Amino acid sequence: MDRGLHLVLSVLTAMLLLGESSQTGEKNDPQMLAVATPGGSGEALPTLTVTTILEDPYVMVRSAELEGYCMDLLKALAAMLHFSYKVKVVGDGQYGAISATGNWTGMVGEILRQEADIAVAPLTVTSAREEVVSFTTPFLQTGIGILLRKDTVSQEMSFFHFLAPFSKETWTGLLFAYLLTCFCLFLVARLSPCEWNEPKNEENHFTFLNSLWFGAGALALQGVTPRPKALSVRVIAAVWWLFTIALLAAYIANFTALLSSSSEQLPIQTFEDLVKQRKLEFGTLEGSSTFYYFKNSKNPIHQMIYEYMDKRRDHVLVKTYQEAVQRVMESDYAFIGESISQDLAAARHCNLIRAPEVIGARGFGIATTQASPWTKKLSIAVLKLRESGDLDYLRNKWWESSCLHRSRDSWSPLQPQALGGLFLTLAIGLALGVIAALVELSNKSRHAAGHVKKSCCSVFTEEMCTRLRVKENARRSQEAAGKANA
């Protein structure tokens, strides 16, 4: 009897030890990394086997546990639909494509072989995959972009790059303002009696050429002669100095912004630019939906990209996303892939940037078996999470950037509208200078009219004609003197 009892206890002990070892082995199995049961109730919940793929930030291993965007999404879905789940990493590390034997690989293959119930991962919804599995409403929208290193290709500067801070219209307005100001200086200096009192005997230093030189010197912040004497000429000179100082400040500020933005301005903006250049190699993930997108596209540019990758598939196609990012950082390589994943890479690595063009709008969905009752439930749950803002919260949480990027569109040539007030101030100053010159001339004419006993208007007219035709009169007097000497 004692021997029988001892035998029964030995058998029970052995069974317990075997059970513990099997549980330990299941916990240490790299293919079964997470088991979760939402809620604390004792009710029996349906358990789903979830297949996924390790990709930052969707699914990552931290301290022997899985975390990431997809794990948070899965946790929220399980809480809403009341199910428990077991997460396993896909065995072959693939997303899902048809192999040479006609069988599906990756997560799609595991669902078809019923090794998993659903796939929660950055799995793109495509027509080929939709034929064999079912997809829920996309939980993330994305497209196909180009990931580059900022210093991969040097940007060639134009020979007249120094003109770029101002638009063509602004340069035209500046030239017009310069010529008009110089002409006003020349005119006011001739009209003002304070600049020269006796036109027949004195020489006016503000000739038109000297006026041009005076205006150019002010543009370069240099003091030049002749120096104005009359109040009217000084008003125009002061307003022109104010105009040039503000203009130079705007030019220097915009030129500095131009140089800063030029360092981030990519020579490769589109897929056509990528095909035309010869320095960079480019490729995508082997067997990914991106590769088959270019294969099936009728666009000539896309066909050229596919032919390039197909001929060099052993060299340009990469196995994992991490390998692609590392290759972009360390070599002259451009990675073509999901734009949302590239945005993450640019957020994590400050020397990487995504080209502006994005093609092939698509979405990431949860894959289930065809006719699965979970497809519609999961779709409705995803829509509820989107409407409540939870998906946006998860997107901001896992795509937070540590880099301070300057926007590629932050710089643009300065338009005349931005300097409208400055041009208006100059115009008002020129008008005031001309008015001041006329007032000065009219005051002198009024005093002269009392001495010669003529009307003020006639003296004013004579003074204007004398001052504006002084060179012609001087030439005639010189010619007359020459004839007399002959």
Side-chain angles (χ1 to χ4, degrees), residues 227-383:
R227 297 185 179 180
K229 302 175 184 178
L231 175 63
S232 55
V233 182
R234 289 179 177 180
V235 167
I236 294 180
V239 172
W240 178 244
W241 290 337
L242 176 64
F243 178 84
T244 55
I245 291 174
L247 192 74
L248 288 173
Y251 177 86
I252 293 172
N254 215 34
F255 192 61
T256 303
L258 169 62
L259 294 178
S260 300
S261 63
S262 296
S263 62
E264 295 186 1
Q265 196 171 12
L266 295 175
I268 298 177
Q269 302 283 331
T270 64
F271 284 89
E272 184 176 359
D273 296 336
L274 185 64
V275 172
K276 290 180 178 179
Q277 58 83 37
R278 292 292 178 267
K279 182 178 180 180
L280 292 180
E281 295 180 324
F282 53 88
T284 186
L285 289 174
E286 184 178 2
S288 64
S289 60
T290 302
F291 180 81
Y292 289 99
Y293 172 86
F294 288 100
K295 180 180 180 180
N296 299 326
S297 177
K298 303 301 181 183
N299 188 305
I301 300 297
H302 300 170
Q303 280 295 309
M304 293 172 65
I305 293 176
Y306 168 73
E307 292 173 2
Y308 175 90
M309 295 190 298
D310 189 50
K311 290 179 181 178
R312 302 167 178 81
R313 61 169 56 235
D314 294 335
H315 184 59
V316 300
L317 297 184
V318 293
K319 301 294 183 181
T320 64
Y321 178 76
Q322 289 77 12
E323 178 187 350
V325 173
Q326 196 69 22
R327 188 168 176 180
V328 172
M329 295 178 63
E330 297 177 353
S331 63
D332 293 337
Y333 180 79
F335 174 61
I336 301 175
E338 302 292 346
S339 60
I340 193 169
S341 301
Q342 294 174 348
D343 290 339
L344 174 72
R348 300 288 174 83
H349 307 283
C350 300
N351 62 331
L352 299 183
I353 193 170
R354 178 176 61 80
E357 185 180 32
V358 176
I359 61 174
R362 54 182 64 189
F364 293 153
I366 300 174
T368 66
T369 57
Q370 288 187 330
S372 171
W374 289 100
T375 306
K376 186 174 183 180
K377 295 179 181 179
L378 291 170
S379 292
I380 296 175
V382 168
L383 289 175

Side-chain angles (χ1 to χ4, degrees), residues 29-51:
D29 186 1
Q31 302 297 321
M32 192 70 68
L33 293 176
V35 179
T37 303
S41 60
E43 62 182 33
L45 299 177
T47 302
L48 300 181
T49 302
V50 181
T51 181

Side-chain angles (χ1 to χ4, degrees), residues 37 100 129 139 218 247 289 326 380 404 425 460 473:
T37 303
R129 291 171 179 170
F139 56 85
L247 192 74
S289 60
Q326 196 69 22
I380 296 175
L404 296 177
T425 303
F460 181 80
N473 295 335

